[in-house]
């Protein structure tokens, strides 16, 4: 005679065991996802700290939104370019500046540059041919400009003239930090040119870097908050 009650009991026990295994696997998967999420958050935080620590405009970055990751990734690329003495100005017209030992290489691209500066292409300026570096910070809706004045040439009289000058770089407020770095490095190279010594921005001591930024603060190019942030970064405090 078939023991229906016994079979039913075994079936129930088996189903219960299968259900328990399913719950256990689900819990393991959930725990694994939590661990992966925690690890990703830790990596994201470390990346953010690294990017902001290297950025010259960390206080100005807007990281409150869905585009935070993209902004940090773009800033990371920008930091690497600056470290390699490559400066890319996207607005108001794309211009790239590369500091290559004894030369400043300026490349104007796009229709806007073609209409104002002329045919796009690379302009190579020898450091020893530069008499001065003029920096006019942006103000309000007006762009700023960085101009390299060569022997026999005069400084431009305002933005309208700088736009037409192939030895100038036009930039917006977000890129003022790059313009300041370029001016500083070129002027250091100009000062050392007569002795034949090449200066690299990465060779400066923290104290020398701090004096450089203090001069920019005194000239009104940097704000007190920006200077204090750089001071903390340089002195690791």
């Amino acid at each position: 005679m078939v023991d229906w009650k016994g079979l039913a009991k075994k079936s129930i026990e088996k189903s219960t065991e299968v259900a328990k295994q399913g719950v256990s696997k689900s819990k393991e998967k959930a725990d694994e996802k939590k661990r992966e999420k925690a690890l990703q958050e830790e990596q994201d935080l470390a990346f953010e700290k690294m990017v902001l620590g290297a950025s010259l405009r960390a206080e100005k970055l807007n990281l409150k939104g869905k585009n935070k990751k993209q902004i940090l990734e773009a800033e990371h690329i920008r930091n690497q370019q600056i470290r390699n003495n490559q400066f890319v100005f996207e607005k108001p017209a794309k211009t790239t500046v590369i500091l290559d030992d004894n030369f400043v290489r300026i490349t104007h691209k796009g229709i806007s540059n073609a209409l104002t500066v002329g045919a796009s292409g690379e302009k190579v300026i020898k450091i020893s041919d530069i008499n001065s570096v003029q920096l006019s910070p942006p103000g309000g809706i007006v762009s700023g400009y960085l101009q390299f004045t060569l022997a026999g040439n005069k400084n431009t009289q305002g933005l309208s003239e700088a736009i037409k000058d192939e030895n100038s770089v036009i930039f917006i407020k977000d890129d003022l930090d790059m313009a300041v770095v370029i001016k500083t490095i070129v002027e250091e190279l100009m000062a050392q040119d007569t002795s034949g010594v090449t200066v690299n921005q990465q060779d400066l001591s923290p104290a020398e870097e701090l004096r450089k930024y203090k001069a920019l603060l005194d000239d009104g190019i940097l704000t007190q908050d920006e200077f204090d942030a750089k001071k903390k970064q340089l002195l690791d405090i």
Side-chain angles (χ1 to χ4, degrees):
M1 184 175 178
V2 178
D3 184 4
W4 296 108
K5 288 184 178 181
L7 291 174
K9 183 179 179 181
K10 289 181 179 179
S11 177
I12 292 172
E13 290 175 348
K14 185 175 182 180
S15 297
T16 301
E17 182 62 27
V18 171
K20 287 181 179 180
Q21 291 176 355
V23 171
S24 178
K25 289 181 179 180
S26 297
K27 187 175 183 303
E28 288 178 2
K29 289 183 178 179
D31 290 343
E32 180 63 25
K33 286 184 178 180
K34 287 182 180 179
R35 286 192 293 270
E36 290 177 354
K37 183 179 179 181
L39 178 60
Q40 185 61 54
E41 290 177 348
E42 183 179 345
Q43 292 174 342
D44 290 345
L45 185 60
F47 179 69
E48 179 179 345
K49 185 177 180 180
M50 177 192 70
V51 172
L52 297 182
S55 175
L56 295 174
R57 57 175 187 175
E59 308 85 4
K60 298 178 181 179
L61 294 178
N62 182 10
L63 302 178
K64 299 178 181 179
K66 297 180 180 179
N67 296 327
K68 178 179 179 179
K69 184 176 181 180
Q70 290 87 338
I71 292 173
L72 287 172
E73 289 175 346
E75 191 68 10
H76 178 52
I77 294 173
R78 187 178 188 267
N79 292 342
Q80 291 179 315
Q81 290 173 335
I82 292 176
R83 185 175 178 82
N84 292 323
N85 288 344
Q86 298 177 2
F87 308 85
V88 180
F89 298 86
E90 297 288 350
K91 296 178 181 180
K94 187 166 184 177
T95 303
T96 301
V97 178
I98 298 177
L99 304 183
D100 181 13
D101 291 331
N102 299 317
F103 299 93
V104 176
R105 302 179 186 275
I106 306 175
T107 303
H108 297 285
K109 296 182 179 180
I111 297 177
S112 178
N113 274 322
L115 294 174
T116 54
V117 180
S120 61
E122 183 182 70
K123 174 65 183 293
V124 181
I125 305 174
K126 194 173 182 179
I127 297 291
S128 58
D129 291 338
I130 299 175
N131 278 356
S132 65
V133 184
Q134 181 182 3
L135 173 62
S136 177
I141 60 174
V142 180
S143 298
Y145 65 86
L146 181 70
Q147 183 195 33
F148 303 98
T149 304
L150 309 183
N153 294 345
K154 295 181 179 180
N155 287 334
T156 60
Q157 300 299 315
L159 179 63
S160 59
E161 291 186 18
I163 290 176
K164 304 173 185 178
D165 181 15
E166 63 178 350
N167 298 326
S168 295
V169 178
I170 312 301
F171 60 91
I172 60 176
K173 188 175 181 180
D174 287 346
D175 292 326
L176 174 60
D177 61 319
M178 290 199 297
V180 170
V181 172
I182 292 172
K183 175 178 169 65
T184 302
I185 295 175
V186 172
E187 287 181 338
E188 289 171 351
L189 291 171
M190 290 168 58
Q192 296 294 333
D193 183 63
T194 54
S195 62
V197 179
T198 301
V199 175
N200 187 294
Q201 71 178 113
Q202 298 174 14
D203 294 333
L204 297 178
S205 68
E208 291 171 328
E209 285 280 351
L210 192 58
R211 281 195 291 269
K212 176 184 70 177
Y213 287 108
K214 181 62 169 65
L216 296 175
L217 172 65
D218 294 339
D219 290 341
I221 296 175
L222 293 183
T223 66
Q224 185 64 51
D225 289 341
E226 290 171 332
F227 172 75
D228 290 342
K230 291 306 300 179
K231 180 178 179 181
K232 290 181 180 179
Q233 179 183 338
L234 290 170
L235 300 181
D236 195 22
I237 58 176

